[in-house]
Amino acid sequence: GKMNKDAQMRATINQKLIETGERERLKELLRAKLIECGWKDQLKAHCKDVIKEKGLEHVTVDDLVAEITPKGRALVPDSVKKELLQRIRTFLAQHASL
């Protein structure tokens, strides 16, 4: 079905991104952008709040991950998401033989 085709396409693209080293570059770009826009600091602050709220001895790493992951996604600025998507589109255009 369609779902399978999408998954296959994603796997192919991912493979291509890894092989060409573009995936690492994208990760570096994302990391730099997130530091630049204060994302890391916001998340650190959120972690501290969660720990304060629950008490250090009651918080597990899993708790933190569960709390932080959706928050982290939500806090990524649209401009950063757009830039990454643009990079991937450009990459795909250059490797159109996919």
Side-chain angles (χ1 to χ4, degrees), residues 11-22 91 95 97-98:
T12 307
I13 291 169
N14 208 13
Q15 190 56 43
K16 210 53 168 169
L17 287 170
I18 292 167
E19 277 170 17
T20 55
E22 182 66 12
F91 175 83
H95 300 78
S97 60
L98 275 177

Side-chain angles (χ1 to χ4, degrees), residues 59-98:
V59 178
T60 65
V61 171
D62 290 341
D63 287 339
L64 277 179
V65 171
E67 291 266 354
I68 297 303
T69 302
K71 181 88 173 168
R73 288 209 181 104
L75 283 174
V76 176
D78 280 345
S79 59
V80 173
K81 288 181 193 165
K82 282 199 186 94
E83 188 172 344
L84 275 177
L85 271 175
Q86 197 49 56
R87 278 281 293 256
I88 292 172
R89 281 198 193 104
T90 306
F91 175 83
L92 292 179
Q94 288 164 350
H95 300 78
S97 60
L98 275 177

